[in-house]
Amino acid sequence: MNIAVIGASGEVGRMMLKVLQENEIAPDSIDFYSSAKSAGKQIKFYEKEYKLKELTEESLMKKYDYILMSAGGNVSKKFSPIAEKYGSNIIDNSSAFRGDKTKPLVVPEINGGILKNYTGIIANPNCSTIQMVLSLYKIHECFGISKIVVSTYQAASGAGKKGIEELELQEKGIVNPKVFSKQLFENVVPKIGDYLETGFSTEEMKMVNETHKILNDYSIDIWPTTVRVPVLYGHSESIYIETNSKFTLDKIFECLEKSENVRLADGDVTPIDIAGSDLTFVSRIRTFNNKSLLFWNVADNIRVGAATNAVRIMMKHMELNG
Ligand SMILES: NC(=O)c1ccc[n+]([C@@H]2O[C@H](COP(=O)([O-])OP(=O)(O)OC[C@H]3O[C@@H](n4cnc5c(N)ncnc54)[C@H](OP(=O)(O)O)[C@@H]3O)[C@@H](O)[C@H]2O)c1
C-alpha cells in the first residue's frame, strides 16, 4: 500500500501520522507533502526520518492507494481532482467537497457503508459536526430527531497552527487579532468563518448541511451558534434536541451506550479531561419531559474531529474494498 500525506506539517497532518502509527498501519511507501514553506523539513514516521516535499501537480500524477489531505480548501480544490483522475482515494479534511452530492461525506460509525465500491474524493466532515452526529445517530435511529439547537465552545486549534500561535501570542500581550475576528485571550468570540446574508456564519451552516447529509435526513430543524473560546484543544457543545417519539431516559442511555466511540460520562467533562482521546464524551443529560433533551458533548477536535475520523475512513474503505 502506498500513501501520501498532504499538509503533513500541520496540526491535523501531524496527528494523522500519530493515529496511523497507533493503528499499526504501516504502508509499503509513504510521501509527505507541504507548501514550499515547510518543504525540506524532517518528519518522523515509525522511527524513520523523511523529508517534506513541496506539493506540485506532478506529485499526484500517479496512483496512491490513499491520500490523506489536510492543506485547506483551496489546495484541495486544486489538487484533489488531479489525484482522483489518476485513480487515488483522497480523504479530504477541508470543506471543499463536503457539499458535493457526488462525493461521500463520511463518519464511518454512521454511514461508512457508502464507501463500498467507491474510488475518489471522500470528504471528512467539520469537527463540530462529527462529534455532534456521533452522539446523536443512535438516538435519531430510535426516536427520530426533529430539532437540534446547538451552541459550540470551539478551541483555538480548530483554526490550525496559526490559531494556536495567535492565542499564545495574545497570552504574552500581543493582541492584534488576525486569525480570529476579535482578541481571543480572556474573551469569547461568537463568530467562526464568515457571516452570510442570513446572519448565520459559514461554520454554523456546515453544522446544518453536513448533519443533514450524514444522517441522510433533510427534515431535521437545526439551529447552531458556533463560538470560539480561549481553549487550546477540545471542542465542547451544549446540545438540545426534540424527538418525534417519546423516550425514557433509560432508553436514551441505552442508545448512547450502543453508539460506537461515544462514552457516557459522569459529572462535568472538560476539554482538558479528554485531550488525546478518540472518544466523544456525553455528560449532563437533562430533561423536563420525554420529548426534549439537553446534554454536554466534548471531544478532541484534532483527533475525533479530524485525524482519527480520516484514518477511520481509510480503514473502513480498506475493510470494504479489500
Ligand atoms: N484543526 C482542526 O481542528 C480541524 C478540524 C477539522 C478539519 N480541519 C481542516 O483540516 C485542514 C488542515 O487544518 P490544520 O488545522 O491542520 O491547518 P494547519 O495547522 O494550518 O496546517 C496546514 C497544512 O497545510 C499545508 N499547506 C498549506 N498550503 C499548502 C500548499 N499550497 N500545498 C501543500 N500544503 C500546503 C501546510 O504546510 P506548511 O507547513 O508548508 O505551511 C500545513 O502542513 C483544513 O482544511 C481545516 O479546515 C481542521
Side-chain angles (χ1 to χ4, degrees):
M1 177 169 63
N2 65 338
I3 294 186
V5 181
I6 299 175
S9 51
E11 281 297 310
V12 175
R14 282 183 289 127
M15 188 58 82
M16 289 193 298
L17 298 189
K18 210 169 163 201
V19 178
L20 283 171
Q21 293 170 85
E22 287 166 2
N23 284 282
E24 295 177 1
I25 296 173
D28 303 309
S29 74
I30 187 160
D31 293 317
F32 298 104
Y33 296 102
S34 67
S35 77
K37 201 176 100 195
S38 294
K41 286 186 185 163
Q42 295 286 111
I43 206 152
K44 203 171 175 183
F45 185 64
Y46 283 113
E47 302 306 315
K48 200 173 155 196
E49 295 283 347
Y50 294 81
K51 240 188 199 141
L52 275 169
K53 297 184 242 185
E54 183 184 355
L55 180 68
T56 63
E57 294 186 13
E58 287 70 35
S59 325
L60 302 181
M61 291 179 179
K62 66 175 190 175
K63 182 175 178 287
Y64 281 102
D65 293 307
Y66 294 100
I67 296 175
L68 296 168
M69 171 85 89
S70 67
N74 290 336
V75 177
S76 183
K77 274 184 200 150
K78 179 173 172 192
F79 290 96
S80 295
I82 298 171
E84 190 175 49
K85 203 171 120 192
Y86 281 82
S88 302
N89 289 301
I90 306 101
I91 299 162
D92 179 31
N93 280 284
S94 83
S95 59
F97 297 96
R98 292 178 192 154
D100 185 329
K101 287 197 174 78
T102 66
K103 311 284 181 240
L105 178 69
V106 178
V107 178
E109 297 86 334
I110 304 172
N111 64 345
I114 59 179
L115 295 174
K116 183 140 181 83
N117 297 328
Y118 178 85
T119 305
I121 299 168
I122 303 162
N124 195 7
N126 169 264
C127 41
S128 307
T129 307
I130 295 176
Q131 71 179 73
M132 182 172 83
V133 291
L134 276 170
S135 301
L136 291 181
Y137 78 104
K138 282 284 175 198
I139 298 176
H140 188 49
E141 271 173 36
C142 292
F143 302 104
I145 294 171
S146 56
K147 182 172 188 166
I148 304 171
V149 182
V150 54
S151 299
T152 68
Y153 303 71
Q154 295 182 219
S157 60
K161 55 186 173 182
K162 288 195 206 83
I164 296 169
E165 279 159 18
E166 182 157 310
L167 179 58
E168 287 176 343
L169 281 175
Q170 288 178 356
E171 282 171 15
K172 291 180 188 143
I174 302 158
V175 291
N176 271 352
K178 276 198 206 122
V179 178
F180 306 115
S181 60
K182 299 260 173 98
Q183 178 186 320
L184 186 60
F185 179 58
E186 293 183 329
N187 208 2
V188 161
V189 182
K191 181 189 183 201
I192 304 184
D194 298 317
Y195 287 137
L196 302 167
E197 266 182 26
T198 53
F200 284 94
S201 71
T202 47
E203 182 81 354
E204 287 159 355
M205 290 317 295
K206 286 177 193 173
M207 293 195 77
V208 175
N209 298 329
E210 296 179 22
T211 300
H212 284 154
K213 186 168 173 180
I214 297 160
L215 296 180
N216 193 25
D217 185 344
Y218 293 79
S219 72
I220 307 172
D221 191 17
I222 306 173
W223 293 83
T225 304
T226 55
V227 182
R228 191 74 71 189
V229 294
V231 163
L232 279 181
Y233 293 98
H235 287 357
S236 307
E237 299 176 335
S238 166
I239 301 177
Y240 166 86
I241 59 162
E242 291 177 9
T243 57
N244 292 318
S245 328
K246 290 183 181 170
F247 58 76
T248 60
L249 275 185
D250 281 349
K251 283 275 176 212
I252 292 286
F253 293 143
E254 229 175 80
C255 288
L256 287 165
E257 269 153 15
K258 280 190 205 147
S259 307
E260 232 182 303
N261 296 315
V262 173
R263 168 81 49 87
L264 203 47
D266 285 332
D268 35 7
V269 179
T270 69
I272 284 178
D273 299 326
I274 59 87
S277 173
D278 280 333
L279 299 173
T280 295
F281 290 81
V282 174
S283 63
R284 300 207 62 222
I285 299 177
R286 287 153 284 158
T287 183
F288 289 121
N289 54 44
N290 50 15
K291 281 189 94 174
S292 47
L293 190 78
L294 193 56
F295 65 90
W296 183 242
N297 198 48
V298 188
D300 185 319
N301 56 303
I302 306 287
R303 295 186 71 107
V304 175
T308 300
N309 200 60
V311 173
R312 282 180 181 152
I313 289 174
M314 182 179 139
M315 288 162 69
K316 187 76 187 176
H317 189 277
M318 283 159 59
E319 176 198 318
L320 292 175
N321 299 290

